[in-house]
Amino acid sequence: MDSAMRRAWSWHKQGLDGSLAGSNAATVLGNAGWARSIGGANPYLTLFSRAGIRREEVDADVVALRIHELPTARGCTYVLGAPDFDWALTLGKPAAESTLKVLDRLGVARDEVHALEAQTLQVLQDAATSGEGPLDPKQLKELLGDAVRSLGEEGKKKGASTTLPTVLGLLQADGRIRRVPVNGRLDQQRYAYAAWGLPPSPESPEQARAKLMENYLGWTGGATLKQTQWFTAFTVAQTKAALAAAQAVEAHGMWMLPADAQKAADFVPEKEEQIQLLASSDSLFLLRRNAAEHVADEDADLKFLDAKLSLQGDLPDHPIVDRGRIIGLWQYDPGQERIAHWLFSAPTSAVMHKIQEVAAFIREDLRDFRTFSLDSPQSRQKRIDALNAAG
């Protein structure tokens, strides 16, 4: 596969060619991959770009637990569908348990941690029974009182000011509690906690790793060994075992599922434009962290804010994409209620129509498009100005 074919193949596997139109959110996330959530709007645009799903429906799915934001691969949070909740959580356990080592170094005994786990869970269960609902960390700290220990200046230096955050992470990794966005929206990072009681996954750690590998190769259409390790954080031995369990084969310079290897050989890209505006953290790029491969050779020398696009592991801004090829960059300007954009070539009617469509979606559903929780119009004004100047 040449680079253009590889881009188009990934585009197809990601459902950005219209093949997921009309699907529900859980189906999209199961087929195209979990949506990275860092307090930004990527999960909303992920679902809108592939299936036309609006924010109101997404938020309703979160409330109904058809989809949820959970810590999983590498301990990172993703929005995923209900069928994946239990086994995906097991993948995030090592990261949650690693925080215990920090408490060990600060002299916190494991018995104290376990006692606080039990007390925290009881408080949240009592809140649910009384109809009080989810509790935020401040409310929990007040109700738990002296059971939450301050770890002083030394703890702050190590990122653990009290024992509560570690306990909340452990309970969440076990599915005993869940984190709930305080205003019901995924594009922020203010949370409360609720008792959950998700049944444990029947999969062993080895089976969960194999399941992730099979899903990951299906989402991407194929990946190199290095790319799989970046996403999964598996060791070399774990990676090889998971690839073998998924019956992956080496084809077209990647590890692929056997069925995809054959389909890729027969794949014919669409001839007509297929334009999408995506977030810089969209699965098309983030799953393999290969944004530079989506820049065509003729655009390799283009720069944005003095950085060559073809040398970037991560995108400098949100991309405008046609069948896997990045053809421009964009940002939403809430002050002007418009999308600032830079197209590498003359705009077509399809491109301008998509820009207007996404601008309307952001304006009506989101009001702004934040990359991460601390993003603001002021912090990205330099990029907005640069896009306007380049465009």
mmCIF file of all heavy atoms in Angstrom, residues 157-198:
data_model
loop_
_atom_site.group_PDB
_atom_site.id
_atom_site.type_symbol
_atom_site.label_atom_id
_atom_site.label_comp_id
_atom_site.label_asym_id
_atom_site.label_seq_id
_atom_site.Cartn_x
_atom_site.Cartn_y
_atom_site.Cartn_z
ATOM 1 N N LYS A 157 4.287 17.584 46.662
ATOM 2 C CA LYS A 157 5.389 17.475 45.711
ATOM 3 C C LYS A 157 5.274 16.211 44.874
ATOM 4 O O LYS A 157 5.703 16.166 43.722
ATOM 5 C CB LYS A 157 6.726 17.475 46.462
ATOM 6 C CG LYS A 157 7.078 18.801 47.111
ATOM 7 C CD LYS A 157 8.387 18.687 47.881
ATOM 8 C CE LYS A 157 8.709 19.988 48.613
ATOM 9 N NZ LYS A 157 9.957 19.840 49.410
ATOM 10 N N LYS A 158 4.690 15.172 45.462
ATOM 11 C CA LYS A 158 4.548 13.895 44.762
ATOM 12 C C LYS A 158 3.186 13.743 44.110
ATOM 13 O O LYS A 158 2.835 12.676 43.603
ATOM 14 C CB LYS A 158 4.802 12.738 45.733
ATOM 15 C CG LYS A 158 6.206 12.715 46.318
ATOM 16 C CD LYS A 158 6.401 11.531 47.227
ATOM 17 C CE LYS A 158 7.782 11.554 47.867
ATOM 18 N NZ LYS A 158 8.873 11.485 46.891
ATOM 19 N N GLY A 159 2.377 14.830 44.114
ATOM 20 C CA GLY A 159 1.080 14.801 43.458
ATOM 21 C C GLY A 159 -0.012 14.117 44.240
ATOM 22 O O GLY A 159 -1.006 13.674 43.661
ATOM 23 N N ALA A 160 0.162 14.016 45.573
ATOM 24 C CA ALA A 160 -0.853 13.382 46.423
ATOM 25 C C ALA A 160 -1.011 14.205 47.694
ATOM 26 O O ALA A 160 -0.374 13.924 48.704
ATOM 27 C CB ALA A 160 -0.452 11.948 46.756
ATOM 28 N N SER A 161 -1.878 15.219 47.629
ATOM 29 C CA SER A 161 -2.036 16.088 48.799
ATOM 30 C C SER A 161 -2.795 15.409 49.926
ATOM 31 O O SER A 161 -2.589 15.710 51.095
ATOM 32 C CB SER A 161 -2.745 17.390 48.400
ATOM 33 O OG SER A 161 -3.994 17.102 47.800
ATOM 34 N N THR A 162 -3.699 14.456 49.585
ATOM 35 C CA THR A 162 -4.402 13.653 50.590
ATOM 36 C C THR A 162 -4.489 12.208 50.084
ATOM 37 O O THR A 162 -4.130 11.912 48.941
ATOM 38 C CB THR A 162 -5.838 14.162 50.856
ATOM 39 O OG1 THR A 162 -6.702 13.796 49.765
ATOM 40 C CG2 THR A 162 -5.875 15.677 51.046
ATOM 41 N N THR A 163 -5.025 11.342 50.920
ATOM 42 C CA THR A 163 -5.182 9.935 50.524
ATOM 43 C C THR A 163 -6.433 9.696 49.681
ATOM 44 O O THR A 163 -6.588 8.618 49.105
ATOM 45 C CB THR A 163 -5.250 9.052 51.781
ATOM 46 O OG1 THR A 163 -6.251 9.583 52.676
ATOM 47 C CG2 THR A 163 -3.906 9.003 52.494
ATOM 48 N N LEU A 164 -7.327 10.678 49.590
ATOM 49 C CA LEU A 164 -8.601 10.458 48.908
ATOM 50 C C LEU A 164 -8.468 10.210 47.397
ATOM 51 O O LEU A 164 -9.113 9.297 46.876
ATOM 52 C CB LEU A 164 -9.556 11.624 49.182
ATOM 53 C CG LEU A 164 -10.966 11.483 48.606
ATOM 54 C CD1 LEU A 164 -11.656 10.221 49.132
ATOM 55 C CD2 LEU A 164 -11.806 12.728 48.925
ATOM 56 N N PRO A 165 -7.689 11.005 46.641
ATOM 57 C CA PRO A 165 -7.632 10.765 45.194
ATOM 58 C C PRO A 165 -7.187 9.349 44.825
ATOM 59 O O PRO A 165 -7.728 8.750 43.885
ATOM 60 C CB PRO A 165 -6.628 11.816 44.712
ATOM 61 C CG PRO A 165 -6.729 12.915 45.712
ATOM 62 C CD PRO A 165 -6.937 12.214 47.021
ATOM 63 N N THR A 166 -6.215 8.805 45.534
ATOM 64 C CA THR A 166 -5.765 7.449 45.245
ATOM 65 C C THR A 166 -6.892 6.450 45.466
ATOM 66 O O THR A 166 -7.121 5.542 44.646
ATOM 67 C CB THR A 166 -4.565 7.077 46.132
ATOM 68 O OG1 THR A 166 -3.444 7.888 45.766
ATOM 69 C CG2 THR A 166 -4.189 5.608 45.967
ATOM 70 N N VAL A 167 -7.625 6.619 46.561
ATOM 71 C CA VAL A 167 -8.732 5.712 46.871
ATOM 72 C C VAL A 167 -9.839 5.821 45.824
ATOM 73 O O VAL A 167 -10.402 4.808 45.387
ATOM 74 C CB VAL A 167 -9.273 5.994 48.290
ATOM 75 C CG1 VAL A 167 -10.653 5.374 48.491
ATOM 76 C CG2 VAL A 167 -8.290 5.473 49.333
ATOM 77 N N LEU A 168 -10.139 7.025 45.394
ATOM 78 C CA LEU A 168 -11.162 7.196 44.351
ATOM 79 C C LEU A 168 -10.723 6.512 43.056
ATOM 80 O O LEU A 168 -11.530 5.889 42.361
ATOM 81 C CB LEU A 168 -11.423 8.686 44.110
ATOM 82 C CG LEU A 168 -12.126 9.441 45.237
ATOM 83 C CD1 LEU A 168 -12.190 10.937 44.914
ATOM 84 C CD2 LEU A 168 -13.533 8.900 45.476
ATOM 85 N N GLY A 169 -9.439 6.604 42.737
ATOM 86 C CA GLY A 169 -8.927 5.955 41.541
ATOM 87 C C GLY A 169 -9.007 4.440 41.630
ATOM 88 O O GLY A 169 -9.361 3.767 40.655
ATOM 89 N N LEU A 170 -8.709 3.897 42.784
ATOM 90 C CA LEU A 170 -8.775 2.453 42.974
ATOM 91 C C LEU A 170 -10.207 1.946 42.881
ATOM 92 O O LEU A 170 -10.483 0.913 42.262
ATOM 93 C CB LEU A 170 -8.176 2.077 44.335
ATOM 94 C CG LEU A 170 -6.662 2.270 44.472
ATOM 95 C CD1 LEU A 170 -6.247 2.135 45.930
ATOM 96 C CD2 LEU A 170 -5.905 1.250 43.619
ATOM 97 N N LEU A 171 -11.132 2.662 43.516
ATOM 98 C CA LEU A 171 -12.537 2.263 43.469
ATOM 99 C C LEU A 171 -13.095 2.354 42.055
ATOM 100 O O LEU A 171 -13.895 1.510 41.632
ATOM 101 C CB LEU A 171 -13.360 3.140 44.416
ATOM 102 C CG LEU A 171 -13.146 2.917 45.916
ATOM 103 C CD1 LEU A 171 -13.839 4.018 46.721
ATOM 104 C CD2 LEU A 171 -13.658 1.544 46.351
ATOM 105 N N GLN A 172 -12.672 3.371 41.319
ATOM 106 C CA GLN A 172 -13.144 3.520 39.951
ATOM 107 C C GLN A 172 -12.569 2.417 39.060
ATOM 108 O O GLN A 172 -13.269 1.867 38.199
ATOM 109 C CB GLN A 172 -12.755 4.889 39.401
ATOM 110 C CG GLN A 172 -13.411 5.214 38.072
ATOM 111 C CD GLN A 172 -13.000 6.568 37.519
ATOM 112 O OE1 GLN A 172 -12.065 7.190 38.003
ATOM 113 N NE2 GLN A 172 -13.680 7.018 36.500
ATOM 114 N N ALA A 173 -11.303 2.067 39.259
ATOM 115 C CA ALA A 173 -10.673 1.024 38.449
ATOM 116 C C ALA A 173 -11.317 -0.336 38.679
ATOM 117 O O ALA A 173 -11.273 -1.202 37.798
ATOM 118 C CB ALA A 173 -9.180 0.951 38.767
ATOM 119 N N ASP A 174 -11.921 -0.521 39.831
ATOM 120 C CA ASP A 174 -12.617 -1.777 40.148
ATOM 121 C C ASP A 174 -14.081 -1.763 39.718
ATOM 122 O O ASP A 174 -14.775 -2.774 39.860
ATOM 123 C CB ASP A 174 -12.565 -2.048 41.656
ATOM 124 C CG ASP A 174 -11.239 -2.684 42.069
ATOM 125 O OD1 ASP A 174 -10.535 -3.196 41.184
ATOM 126 O OD2 ASP A 174 -10.921 -2.655 43.257
ATOM 127 N N GLY A 175 -14.567 -0.610 39.252
ATOM 128 C CA GLY A 175 -15.965 -0.517 38.878
ATOM 129 C C GLY A 175 -16.900 -0.416 40.060
ATOM 130 O O GLY A 175 -18.119 -0.557 39.917
ATOM 131 N N ARG A 176 -16.349 -0.151 41.251
ATOM 132 C CA ARG A 176 -17.208 -0.019 42.430
ATOM 133 C C ARG A 176 -17.850 1.364 42.510
ATOM 134 O O ARG A 176 -18.910 1.528 43.115
ATOM 135 C CB ARG A 176 -16.409 -0.312 43.706
ATOM 136 C CG ARG A 176 -16.097 -1.792 43.884
ATOM 137 C CD ARG A 176 -15.307 -2.043 45.149
ATOM 138 N NE ARG A 176 -13.905 -1.668 44.989
ATOM 139 C CZ ARG A 176 -13.025 -1.663 45.996
ATOM 140 N NH1 ARG A 176 -13.415 -1.986 47.211
ATOM 141 N NH2 ARG A 176 -11.761 -1.330 45.766
ATOM 142 N N ILE A 177 -17.194 2.354 41.913
ATOM 143 C CA ILE A 177 -17.779 3.688 41.797
ATOM 144 C C ILE A 177 -17.545 4.184 40.378
ATOM 145 O O ILE A 177 -16.750 3.598 39.630
ATOM 146 C CB ILE A 177 -17.177 4.695 42.816
ATOM 147 C CG1 ILE A 177 -15.710 5.011 42.465
ATOM 148 C CG2 ILE A 177 -17.295 4.169 44.238
ATOM 149 C CD1 ILE A 177 -15.100 6.125 43.297
ATOM 150 N N ARG A 178 -18.214 5.242 39.992
ATOM 151 C CA ARG A 178 -17.983 5.853 38.692
ATOM 152 C C ARG A 178 -17.951 7.360 38.846
ATOM 153 O O ARG A 178 -18.532 7.922 39.789
ATOM 154 C CB ARG A 178 -19.045 5.437 37.677
ATOM 155 C CG ARG A 178 -20.452 5.833 38.029
ATOM 156 C CD ARG A 178 -21.466 5.198 37.078
ATOM 157 N NE ARG A 178 -22.834 5.581 37.404
ATOM 158 C CZ ARG A 178 -23.470 6.624 36.890
ATOM 159 N NH1 ARG A 178 -22.857 7.396 36.005
ATOM 160 N NH2 ARG A 178 -24.698 6.911 37.235
ATOM 161 N N ARG A 179 -17.258 7.980 37.914
ATOM 162 C CA ARG A 179 -17.099 9.433 37.920
ATOM 163 C C ARG A 179 -18.161 10.041 37.032
ATOM 164 O O ARG A 179 -18.370 9.595 35.900
ATOM 165 C CB ARG A 179 -15.702 9.774 37.407
ATOM 166 C CG ARG A 179 -15.180 11.110 37.798
ATOM 167 C CD ARG A 179 -13.717 11.223 37.489
ATOM 168 N NE ARG A 179 -13.441 11.183 36.051
ATOM 169 C CZ ARG A 179 -12.243 11.380 35.521
ATOM 170 N NH1 ARG A 179 -11.208 11.601 36.319
ATOM 171 N NH2 ARG A 179 -12.054 11.345 34.221
ATOM 172 N N VAL A 180 -18.859 11.066 37.533
ATOM 173 C CA VAL A 180 -19.985 11.665 36.821
ATOM 174 C C VAL A 180 -19.689 13.143 36.547
ATOM 175 O O VAL A 180 -19.378 13.887 37.484
ATOM 176 C CB VAL A 180 -21.283 11.548 37.653
ATOM 177 C CG1 VAL A 180 -22.465 12.110 36.888
ATOM 178 C CG2 VAL A 180 -21.543 10.097 38.046
ATOM 179 N N PRO A 181 -19.762 13.608 35.299
ATOM 180 C CA PRO A 181 -19.547 15.038 35.030
ATOM 181 C C PRO A 181 -20.634 15.864 35.712
ATOM 182 O O PRO A 181 -21.820 15.551 35.606
ATOM 183 C CB PRO A 181 -19.622 15.146 33.508
ATOM 184 C CG PRO A 181 -20.337 13.907 33.059
ATOM 185 C CD PRO A 181 -20.040 12.845 34.065
ATOM 186 N N VAL A 182 -20.218 16.921 36.417
ATOM 187 C CA VAL A 182 -21.169 17.642 37.263
ATOM 188 C C VAL A 182 -22.275 18.333 36.474
ATOM 189 O O VAL A 182 -23.391 18.498 36.981
ATOM 190 C CB VAL A 182 -20.434 18.677 38.159
ATOM 191 C CG1 VAL A 182 -19.553 17.982 39.170
ATOM 192 C CG2 VAL A 182 -19.633 19.666 37.322
ATOM 193 N N ASN A 183 -21.996 18.741 35.243
ATOM 194 C CA ASN A 183 -23.045 19.390 34.459
ATOM 195 C C ASN A 183 -23.533 18.499 33.313
ATOM 196 O O ASN A 183 -24.210 18.964 32.397
ATOM 197 C CB ASN A 183 -22.568 20.741 33.912
ATOM 198 C CG ASN A 183 -21.424 20.604 32.923
ATOM 199 O OD1 ASN A 183 -20.903 19.506 32.713
ATOM 200 N ND2 ASN A 183 -21.035 21.708 32.304
ATOM 201 N N GLY A 184 -23.158 17.213 33.378
ATOM 202 C CA GLY A 184 -23.618 16.261 32.381
ATOM 203 C C GLY A 184 -22.890 16.308 31.056
ATOM 204 O O GLY A 184 -23.238 15.569 30.133
ATOM 205 N N ARG A 185 -21.851 17.139 30.953
ATOM 206 C CA ARG A 185 -21.140 17.290 29.678
ATOM 207 C C ARG A 185 -19.751 16.691 29.752
ATOM 208 O O ARG A 185 -19.078 16.728 30.777
ATOM 209 C CB ARG A 185 -21.052 18.766 29.291
ATOM 210 C CG ARG A 185 -22.391 19.341 28.884
ATOM 211 C CD ARG A 185 -22.276 20.773 28.411
ATOM 212 N NE ARG A 185 -21.324 20.954 27.320
ATOM 213 C CZ ARG A 185 -21.369 21.990 26.483
ATOM 214 N NH1 ARG A 185 -22.328 22.896 26.603
ATOM 215 N NH2 ARG A 185 -20.480 22.104 25.526
ATOM 216 N N LEU A 186 -19.311 16.159 28.615
ATOM 217 C CA LEU A 186 -18.017 15.512 28.537
ATOM 218 C C LEU A 186 -16.871 16.497 28.321
ATOM 219 O O LEU A 186 -15.705 16.138 28.536
ATOM 220 C CB LEU A 186 -18.016 14.482 27.396
ATOM 221 C CG LEU A 186 -18.974 13.299 27.567
ATOM 222 C CD1 LEU A 186 -19.080 12.526 26.248
ATOM 223 C CD2 LEU A 186 -18.509 12.387 28.693
ATOM 224 N N ASP A 187 -17.167 17.704 27.876
ATOM 225 C CA ASP A 187 -16.103 18.668 27.555
ATOM 226 C C ASP A 187 -15.778 19.561 28.747
ATOM 227 O O ASP A 187 -15.701 20.787 28.632
ATOM 228 C CB ASP A 187 -16.450 19.490 26.313
ATOM 229 C CG ASP A 187 -17.807 20.172 26.408
ATOM 230 O OD1 ASP A 187 -18.576 19.887 27.348
ATOM 231 O OD2 ASP A 187 -18.099 21.004 25.524
ATOM 232 N N GLN A 188 -15.573 18.962 29.896
ATOM 233 C CA GLN A 188 -15.131 19.668 31.096
ATOM 234 C C GLN A 188 -14.515 18.622 32.028
ATOM 235 O O GLN A 188 -14.615 17.425 31.772
ATOM 236 C CB GLN A 188 -16.287 20.401 31.771
ATOM 237 C CG GLN A 188 -17.505 19.521 32.058
ATOM 238 C CD GLN A 188 -17.427 18.793 33.381
ATOM 239 O OE1 GLN A 188 -17.294 19.420 34.405
ATOM 240 N NE2 GLN A 188 -17.493 17.465 33.330
ATOM 241 N N GLN A 189 -13.891 19.060 33.111
ATOM 242 C CA GLN A 189 -13.264 18.116 34.028
ATOM 243 C C GLN A 189 -13.622 18.420 35.477
ATOM 244 O O GLN A 189 -12.762 18.427 36.353
ATOM 245 C CB GLN A 189 -11.749 18.098 33.832
ATOM 246 C CG GLN A 189 -11.324 17.245 32.627
ATOM 247 C CD GLN A 189 -9.839 17.003 32.581
ATOM 248 O OE1 GLN A 189 -9.049 17.918 32.766
ATOM 249 N NE2 GLN A 189 -9.433 15.775 32.311
ATOM 250 N N ARG A 190 -14.901 18.630 35.708
ATOM 251 C CA ARG A 190 -15.393 18.752 37.088
ATOM 252 C C ARG A 190 -16.325 17.573 37.317
ATOM 253 O O ARG A 190 -17.309 17.398 36.602
ATOM 254 C CB ARG A 190 -16.119 20.084 37.300
ATOM 255 C CG ARG A 190 -15.192 21.296 37.245
ATOM 256 C CD ARG A 190 -15.937 22.588 37.522
ATOM 257 N NE ARG A 190 -16.576 22.560 38.823
ATOM 258 C CZ ARG A 190 -17.899 22.744 39.019
ATOM 259 N NH1 ARG A 190 -18.698 22.933 37.976
ATOM 260 N NH2 ARG A 190 -18.402 22.714 40.223
ATOM 261 N N TYR A 191 -15.983 16.774 38.326
ATOM 262 C CA TYR A 191 -16.681 15.512 38.502
ATOM 263 C C TYR A 191 -17.199 15.325 39.920
ATOM 264 O O TYR A 191 -16.652 15.861 40.891
ATOM 265 C CB TYR A 191 -15.748 14.333 38.186
ATOM 266 C CG TYR A 191 -15.177 14.352 36.797
ATOM 267 C CD1 TYR A 191 -13.876 14.783 36.559
ATOM 268 C CD2 TYR A 191 -15.940 13.935 35.706
ATOM 269 C CE1 TYR A 191 -13.347 14.795 35.280
ATOM 270 C CE2 TYR A 191 -15.424 13.942 34.421
ATOM 271 C CZ TYR A 191 -14.122 14.372 34.215
ATOM 272 O OH TYR A 191 -13.604 14.385 32.946
ATOM 273 N N ALA A 192 -18.240 14.516 40.020
ATOM 274 C CA ALA A 192 -18.699 13.964 41.279
ATOM 275 C C ALA A 192 -18.630 12.445 41.142
ATOM 276 O O ALA A 192 -18.371 11.916 40.055
ATOM 277 C CB ALA A 192 -20.127 14.421 41.571
ATOM 278 N N TYR A 193 -18.854 11.740 42.247
ATOM 279 C CA TYR A 193 -18.705 10.291 42.237
ATOM 280 C C TYR A 193 -19.972 9.623 42.748
ATOM 281 O O TYR A 193 -20.646 10.133 43.640
ATOM 282 C CB TYR A 193 -17.502 9.872 43.095
ATOM 283 C CG TYR A 193 -16.193 10.324 42.506
ATOM 284 C CD1 TYR A 193 -15.717 11.621 42.741
ATOM 285 C CD2 TYR A 193 -15.449 9.490 41.684
ATOM 286 C CE1 TYR A 193 -14.523 12.052 42.182
ATOM 287 C CE2 TYR A 193 -14.254 9.911 41.119
ATOM 288 C CZ TYR A 193 -13.797 11.192 41.366
ATOM 289 O OH TYR A 193 -12.621 11.620 40.791
ATOM 290 N N ALA A 194 -20.277 8.464 42.159
ATOM 291 C CA ALA A 194 -21.467 7.708 42.537
ATOM 292 C C ALA A 194 -21.105 6.239 42.708
ATOM 293 O O ALA A 194 -20.217 5.722 42.011
ATOM 294 C CB ALA A 194 -22.550 7.856 41.469
ATOM 295 N N ALA A 195 -21.784 5.552 43.631
ATOM 296 C CA ALA A 195 -21.595 4.106 43.760
ATOM 297 C C ALA A 195 -22.064 3.437 42.470
ATOM 298 O O ALA A 195 -23.017 3.889 41.827
ATOM 299 C CB ALA A 195 -22.386 3.590 44.959
ATOM 300 N N TRP A 196 -21.382 2.343 42.102
ATOM 301 C CA TRP A 196 -21.716 1.706 40.831
ATOM 302 C C TRP A 196 -21.957 0.213 40.994
ATOM 303 O O TRP A 196 -23.073 -0.267 40.850
ATOM 304 C CB TRP A 196 -20.605 1.964 39.815
ATOM 305 C CG TRP A 196 -20.987 1.639 38.398
ATOM 306 C CD1 TRP A 196 -22.215 1.257 37.929
ATOM 307 C CD2 TRP A 196 -20.130 1.675 37.256
ATOM 308 N NE1 TRP A 196 -22.188 1.067 36.573
ATOM 309 C CE2 TRP A 196 -20.912 1.313 36.131
ATOM 310 C CE3 TRP A 196 -18.796 1.980 37.071
ATOM 311 C CZ2 TRP A 196 -20.388 1.245 34.845
ATOM 312 C CZ3 TRP A 196 -18.274 1.916 35.793
ATOM 313 C CH2 TRP A 196 -19.055 1.561 34.688
ATOM 314 N N GLY A 197 -20.908 -0.531 41.295
ATOM 315 C CA GLY A 197 -21.063 -1.964 41.431
ATOM 316 C C GLY A 197 -21.094 -2.697 40.110
ATOM 317 O O GLY A 197 -21.878 -3.635 39.919
ATOM 318 N N LEU A 198 -20.241 -2.299 39.175
ATOM 319 C CA LEU A 198 -20.139 -2.990 37.895
ATOM 320 C C LEU A 198 -19.591 -4.401 38.133
ATOM 321 O O LEU A 198 -18.562 -4.564 38.789
ATOM 322 C CB LEU A 198 -19.204 -2.221 36.960
ATOM 323 C CG LEU A 198 -18.995 -2.806 35.563
ATOM 324 C CD1 LEU A 198 -20.241 -2.601 34.711
ATOM 325 C CD2 LEU A 198 -17.775 -2.173 34.895
#
